[in-house]
Amino acid sequence: MDDKTDKIINFQNRSYHVPAWSVSILPDCKNVIFNTAKVSSQTSIVDMTIESLQVSVSGQEMGNLKWDVFTEKVGVWGNADFSTRGFVDHINTTKDLTDYLWYTTSFFVEENEDTLHNGSIPILAIESKGHAVQAFVNQELQGSGYGNGSKSSFKFKTPVHLKAGKNEIDLLSMTVGLQNGGPHYDSVGAGLTSVKIYGFRNGTVNLSPNIWNYKIGLEGEHLTIYEADGLDNVKWMSTSNPPKNQPLTWYKAIVNPPSGTEPVALDMKYMGKGQAWLNGEPIGRYWPRKSSIHGECSSTCDYRGKFSPTKCRTGCGDPTQRWYHVPRSWFQPTGNVLVIFEEKGGDPTQISFSRRLVKGACSFIAEDYPSPRFDSLNISSNNDQDKPILHLNCPEGTLISTIEFASYGNPIGACGSYQRGSCHHPESMSVVEQACLNKKECNVSLTKENFDNDPCPDLTKMFAVEVACG
């Protein structure tokens, strides 16, 4: 298979054009009914229309949304589930009942320790099999460490502020369902493997062999405060100015459903990492972590050649996730309970719904594309009924309102940026307008009836169309 150059292949006294890095299917060993590089499909032009969360409680003014807030206790809440010397595996301990496992211990710092008086700051060093950790010292967040999709294990270092006497170390280990888990997810494991503090007068303090207290899950999870029956199991603090960038915080709001009938997503761009529920239904984990601005992104994509993680990459510097689908069937007419658990800190006032609006559509075919009539193998005939067909379809409740672009010849560019090439049939726009304008869907075939004069006989013609839906 050639990954760069199209080929003409002679087979049983016939010639076949095979694009680079593609496969053709000939069920009768004569006629091509499918080629992986010649697939006609519609590309939708989508706009994620933001809708602010609208209050759904009588007596409150529109836009003056009230939040109820509950903050998790750092470390072991209630009684420890068990204590042991050293570390246990996270996944085998939580048994997939929760993402969270607390590891807690303590150690003493002498009053004459140099770091308390000379301005030097000790360094907390953590090693973990994955997937993430939040480090607290004396109830204060010191920092967070994470693995990634290609390597779940990680090493994490952060300066820590200690005091004379007893210092509490509370480490929240978290799993996130990394994509490379696969069938060996449980055998790879997760959780802490080493905890040390550097910078003391007498050298490094190794906390790994300490007695560690363990607590499985969070208090809010245990009390199911995201479900209707558990909402009153904690004392919420009501405020119109919820805390921002605060870790281990639950947020609750009563909201109306978004307008319209389009698909809905929860926009979590300005939050950190956590989980979300609507009316007790799990929207799922969210983590709008920004991709590296130094990644290899490209404005164009060439499918040819072997796959690599950087192939056709887009959105460098943008969140790798942002919108989280919320089925419309989960919404009630009023009084919808939205619950958010934020692990690392974010801005809940920036949370919004987004409606997925299809504003338009593009479609592209070429005259050497196989016919869609799979019931007939006479694909190579000159019969107009066997010509490729371009199909366009707008969402329910909308029609094709404008033909933004149409060119039969050798158009260039991609959906949203098509341009005429050196060859263009002058009737392209009128053919599409006649077939599609003010219709929900339409088909345009490359027949002589539609395109009677060949503008460039020596070229394989292409047909690109972009329409607006409204």
Side-chain angles (χ1 to χ4, degrees), residues 217-259:
L218 305 171
E219 184 177 13
E221 281 185 308
H222 178 72
L223 297 175
T224 62
I225 64 175
Y226 48 84
E227 295 182 351
D229 294 341
L231 291 174
D232 296 329
N233 288 341
V234 297
K235 185 176 181 180
W236 298 89
M237 179 188 71
S238 184
T239 177
S240 58
N241 186 26
K244 303 173 184 177
N245 301 315
Q246 178 174 295
L248 303 185
T249 303
W250 294 83
Y251 300 94
K252 174 168 68 75
I254 312 299
V255 298
N256 276 330
S259 59

Side-chain angles (χ1 to χ4, degrees), residues 30-51:
K30 294 181 181 179
N31 299 289
V32 177
I33 67 164
F34 183 78
N35 177 273
T36 56
K38 301 177 180 180
V39 179
S40 176
S41 62
Q42 175 174 299
T43 300
S44 295
I45 301 173
V46 175
D47 178 52
M48 297 299 289
T49 302
I50 294 176
E51 282 201 12

Side-chain angles (χ1 to χ4, degrees), residues 2 5-7 17-24 35 37-38 303 368:
D2 196 316
T5 309
D6 292 2
K7 297 293 185 181
H17 171 250
V18 181
W21 204 254
S22 74
V23 175
S24 292
N35 177 273
K38 301 177 180 180
Y303 69 90
D368 63 346

